[in-house]
Amino acid sequence: MQLLEQAILERGRVKDGEVLKVDAFLNHQMDVGLINELGREFHRRFADAGVTKILTIEASGIGIACITAQYFGVPVVFAKKTQSRNIDGEVLTTQVTSFTHQRNYDVIVSKRFLDPSDRVLLIDDFLAKGSALLGLISLVQQSGASIAGAGICIEKGFDVGGQAVRSQGIRVESLATIASMDANGIVFAPDHT
Ligand code: 5GP
């Protein structure tokens, strides 16, 4: 998506060769006008997928998911990060490895908010190694709901996550896919949509 690629080039920064900082417009300061266009594009791509709920992970995904949800007219549920595994039986839980903080944490979703009749669209800001998205997939699978697909703002196409998720037969739509990046610049993979 050209609008997002342009924002990444103009307002993003590559840190230490492997982290793309997009805090000027996506996950700290938020450019709501731009994110609104991302939400519109996710809806265009998944309009016929029968989405009944959007699932994301705190914190960066929440704003993007909420704006996207307005196009679908469905609720947003976000997986909460927690220090300790809650075993009271009322929650679905899985473990995620944080790409940016390099540590493991449990994420939970209340069983009340994912029903077997739901068709869930997963939304997140980045797809890198796939841990966050695979965690969300696990939560949906535990609930018995079905997965409509995953909408990702920025996929690191050179990392393993995209293949790990697509090999499960899950449709992943990334609005910008980075083929390579370093201190000298960012190269995008072709957009096939
Ligand atoms: P994964 O679990 O796929 O390895 O990484 C996805 C998660 O890590 C996203 O939820 C995102 O918050 C964070 N992440 C991964 N790569 C980057 C990056 O280059 N920049 C930023 N800002 N976050 C990233």
Side-chain angles (χ1 to χ4, degrees):
M1 184 187 182
Q2 204 189 341
L3 193 67
L4 179 57
E5 292 181 2
Q6 192 184 330
I8 292 168
L9 291 177
E10 290 174 0
R11 294 189 267 167
R13 283 180 297 124
V14 180
K15 199 178 130 199
D16 302 332
E18 59 169 346
V19 175
L20 176 63
K21 298 286 285 181
V22 289
D23 52 1
F25 60 95
L26 196 63
N27 59 17
H28 191 167
Q29 174 170 259
M30 298 177 73
D31 181 337
V32 177
L34 170 66
I35 296 170
N36 189 42
E37 293 310 312
L38 306 185
R40 192 196 307 275
E41 180 64 13
F42 283 135
H43 181 253
R44 190 183 70 77
R45 296 188 189 202
F46 287 103
D48 299 326
V51 175
T52 65
K53 206 157 272 186
I54 290 179
L55 178 66
T56 188
I57 185 165
E58 70 176 355
S60 308
I62 297 175
I64 301 160
C66 287
I67 291 176
T68 302
Q70 291 198 302
Y71 285 96
F72 287 91
V74 302
V76 172
V77 178
F78 63 91
K80 293 183 172 212
K81 296 173 182 171
T82 171
Q83 295 293 341
S84 60
R85 198 170 280 255
N86 184 333
I87 51 166
D88 68 0
E90 299 304 314
V91 295
L92 308 167
T93 180
T94 193
Q95 199 175 67
V96 166
T97 304
S98 166
F99 179 91
T100 34
H101 300 108
Q102 298 288 320
R103 66 177 185 86
N104 296 331
Y105 52 87
D106 294 320
V107 293
I108 60 164
V109 164
S110 171
K111 281 185 180 169
R112 285 185 298 145
F113 302 132
L114 284 180
D115 187 81
S117 64
D118 275 321
R119 196 151 165 76
V120 181
L121 175 63
L122 310 170
I123 292 282
D124 206 3
D125 56 348
F126 274 90
L127 173 58
K129 304 209 174 303
S131 181
L133 195 51
L134 290 167
L136 293 179
I137 290 165
S138 168
L139 293 172
V140 177
Q141 288 171 340
Q142 290 174 48
S143 76
S146 62
I147 296 174
I152 299 295
C153 298
I154 305 169
E155 176 176 345
K156 290 165 151 174
F158 54 85
D159 214 331
V160 296
Q163 163 69 13
V165 176
R166 291 185 179 96
S167 69
Q168 292 194 21
I170 293 168
R171 177 180 169 199
V172 180
E173 292 281 342
S174 299
L175 302 188
T177 300
I178 297 175
S180 66
M181 66 182 199
D182 58 28
N184 299 317
I186 297 168
V187 177
F188 294 102
D191 188 344
H192 295 293
T193 57

